[in-house]
Amino acid sequence: MKRENFGSKLGAILAAAGSAVGLGNIWRFPIETGRNGGAAFILVYIACIILLGMPIMMSEFLIGRHTQSNTARAYQKLAPGTPWKWVGRLGVFTGFFILSYYAVVAGWTIEYAVLAVSNQFQGMTTKAEFEQVFTNFSSDPLWPIVWLIVFILLTHFIIVRGVARGIERWSKVLMPMLFIIIAVLVVCSVSMPGASSGVQFLLQPDFSKVNSHVVLSAMGQAFYSLSLGMGCLCTYASYFDRKTNLSKTTLQVCVIDTMIALMAGFIIFPAAAAANYGLTPQDIGPSLIFITLPNVFQQAFGSIPVLAYVFSVMFYLLLIVAALTSTISMHEVVTSYMAEEFHLKRNRSALIETCLSIFLGIFCALSFGCLSDVKLFDMTIFDIFDWTASNICLPVGGMFIAIFTGWYLDKQLFRDEVTNGGTVHAPYFKALIFVLRYITPLAILAIILGNFGLF
Ligand code: PHE
């Protein structure tokens, strides 16, 4: 069976960026930044992107493009008869895990789009009002589940339409739109009266707050936001053509992703400061953007209600799209794995993944309502999924990917992929190998062990 390819270079970049940019940037990044002390966390995060994220992204790209197969098969092709295929399998498992709870939050964005379209936020001014809306909705036993199912089904239908027609076409139009609207919101938020303490929080690092948990969270966030460590970008790269410049694509995706995350921070914290939210640690959780953002729209454009309306509708619609281009990429990892490894039809394989994710997702959705007392180590079901997947599974996957490319992979093959058969200049090649061999795996290991007090 001939595999599909992305139709153009831009399509490939945007699809990879579409996978990376999502709720991780707009929803999760501000939460992690708020919980971990602001500016200092951001600096550690950026260091993780450069030292861990970029080399691993290159590795995933080259493994995927060279082998042109799903993530588990990729390792079997490059290292036949060895246990390396388990790295791919761990990725498939992690993808399934993340999709299940990610779709819960993605479902919330649909509810908020509906609220925005029906103009429900108009006239609301206090934090308590926005909080009430969120709590009522998220603890409801029905609607979060309905939206979760709708979201996974949307993903499902795009997945079964295939790579070029589905994933690529969507990403090309919607990603630039998202960028523009976020930029406008940053300007609005930063210029609100009283926003400056929020800006300071993001710009004045206080390194005394950096401890092993902060570093682990920054690393987890870097992997999560870049969609790394679970073979997602490896699977996408299997649809790249031979001319795609892997290092340039890596740089572009990392820059776009980081910029959008930072911009989200510059929307949320200044707005929260302006509205006098005095964010206490209890406020900084999954509800953060759903309470501060509707408020940004009301405060920034409240005197011109049409603008408040148009901006909030557009924002939530684009957030749905950003989440969708990410859920598609998680779903694709599992779907292509099951289809190619178990010789299933693509439709069938997608359907199995859809049903399994809905099933697990229901428990995550209910953990904000009737299952909120079910806790382990003080974490709800939702938190456990999120913490384990991003802080443990993704970095461990990434560590093995770095070891694989740094130590195991044939260096000539590596060089050929990075330089596109000698046509692209890559003076950093030796440095890249060095980082992948020593720095990346050791840093990941130290950060994980450090978090458990074992280091
Ligand atoms: N990077 C995505 C986001 O920021 C989430 C994601 C994680 C996607 C892992 C694929 C794999 O929303």
Side-chain angles (χ1 to χ4, degrees), residues 352-414:
I352 298 175
E353 158 66 344
T354 295
C355 295
L356 288 174
S357 289
I358 290 178
F359 177 73
L360 271 193
I362 289 176
F363 291 95
C364 296
L366 292 178
S367 74
F368 291 87
C370 58
L371 296 182
S372 62
D373 290 332
V374 181
K375 286 190 175 168
L376 193 68
F377 304 117
D378 211 27
M379 292 193 275
T380 62
I381 301 176
F382 180 94
D383 294 336
I384 294 170
F385 270 51
D386 183 39
W387 191 86
T388 319
S390 16
N391 289 359
I392 306 295
C393 297
L394 294 180
V396 168
M399 181 178 80
F400 283 116
I401 293 172
I403 296 174
F404 182 75
T405 30
W407 292 95
Y408 187 90
L409 200 65
D410 175 51
K411 292 294 153 300
Q412 192 51 42
L413 184 159
F414 192 159

Side-chain angles (χ1 to χ4, degrees), residues 312-368:
S312 45
V313 170
M314 276 183 60
F315 180 81
Y316 285 111
L317 291 182
L318 286 171
L319 197 55
I320 294 177
V321 173
L324 196 56
T325 49
S326 301
T327 50
I328 292 168
S329 69
M330 299 167 204
H331 203 301
E332 177 65 22
V333 171
V334 187
T335 301
S336 64
Y337 170 75
M338 290 195 297
E340 291 174 18
E341 296 311 296
F342 304 123
H343 307 289
L344 296 175
K345 283 209 175 98
R346 201 176 147 85
N347 295 2
R348 172 96 26 110
S349 155
L351 189 64
I352 298 175
E353 158 66 344
T354 295
C355 295
L356 288 174
S357 289
I358 290 178
F359 177 73
L360 271 193
I362 289 176
F363 291 95
C364 296
L366 292 178
S367 74
F368 291 87

Side-chain angles (χ1 to χ4, degrees), residues 79-362:
T82 64
W84 281 108
K85 58 178 172 291
W86 283 97
V87 178
R89 290 181 182 165
L90 170 72
V92 174
F93 176 74
T94 314
F96 159 60
F97 214 39
I98 296 185
L99 179 60
S100 308
Y101 82 86
Y102 192 95
V104 172
V105 183
W108 296 349
T109 64
I110 305 187
E111 166 76 10
Y112 272 67
V114 171
L115 292 176
V117 170
S118 53
N119 209 6
Q120 307 267 341
F121 299 121
Q122 204 197 5
M124 286 196 195
T125 46
T126 62
K127 180 185 172 194
E129 284 170 297
F130 291 110
E131 253 171 11
Q132 192 66 42
V133 174
F134 180 79
T135 321
N136 285 351
F137 162 69
S138 62
S139 56
D140 188 86
L142 179 66
W143 283 100
I145 294 179
V146 171
W147 293 136
L148 156 79
I149 295 176
V150 169
F151 206 93
I152 297 191
L153 288 180
L154 267 173
T155 311
H156 177 91
F157 289 119
I158 298 180
I159 285 285
V160 293
R161 294 204 64 191
V163 176
R165 272 174 308 157
I167 303 175
E168 184 175 353
R169 200 200 286 160
W170 279 79
S171 308
K172 254 189 195 161
V173 189
L174 297 164
M175 290 292 300
M177 270 173 74
L178 180 73
F179 194 82
I180 294 169
I181 193 159
I182 289 186
V184 174
L185 288 177
V186 171
V187 176
C188 293
S189 179
V190 172
S191 53
M192 282 174 164
S196 60
S197 64
V199 175
Q200 250 172 31
F201 178 70
L202 296 171
L203 292 182
Q204 279 181 358
D206 173 1
F207 287 105
S208 65
K209 294 207 180 108
V210 177
N211 58 26
S212 59
H213 297 287
V214 171
V215 180
L216 182 77
S217 304
M219 172 171 79
Q221 176 61 22
F223 277 92
Y224 188 90
S225 190
L226 295 174
S227 310
L228 283 182
M230 51 159 274
C232 192
L233 295 182
C234 172
T235 305
Y236 266 24
S238 73
Y239 307 116
F240 284 3
D241 71 15
R242 295 271 163 224
K243 284 196 237 85
T244 306
N245 181 334
L246 298 184
S247 10
K248 226 172 161 182
T249 310
T250 301
L251 190 65
Q252 280 158 336
V253 173
C254 290
V255 169
I256 296 174
D257 189 74
T258 309
M259 272 174 64
I260 295 199
L262 292 176
M263 284 159 87
F266 277 94
I267 298 175
I268 297 191
F269 291 102
N276 249 330
Y277 278 6
L279 292 172
T280 51
Q282 309 82 286
D283 287 329
I284 303 177
S287 62
L288 180 63
I289 69 162
F290 295 96
I291 295 173
T292 48
L293 270 177
N295 194 39
V296 181
F297 301 118
Q298 294 312 315
Q299 296 242 343
F301 311 108
S303 54
I304 319 169
V306 182
L307 273 188
Y309 181 79
V310 171
F311 263 89
S312 45
V313 170
M314 276 183 60
F315 180 81
Y316 285 111
L317 291 182
L318 286 171
L319 197 55
I320 294 177
V321 173
L324 196 56
T325 49
S326 301
T327 50
I328 292 168
S329 69
M330 299 167 204
H331 203 301
E332 177 65 22
V333 171
V334 187
T335 301
S336 64
Y337 170 75
M338 290 195 297
E340 291 174 18
E341 296 311 296
F342 304 123
H343 307 289
L344 296 175
K345 283 209 175 98
R346 201 176 147 85
N347 295 2
R348 172 96 26 110
S349 155
L351 189 64
I352 298 175
E353 158 66 344
T354 295
C355 295
L356 288 174
S357 289
I358 290 178
F359 177 73
L360 271 193
I362 289 176

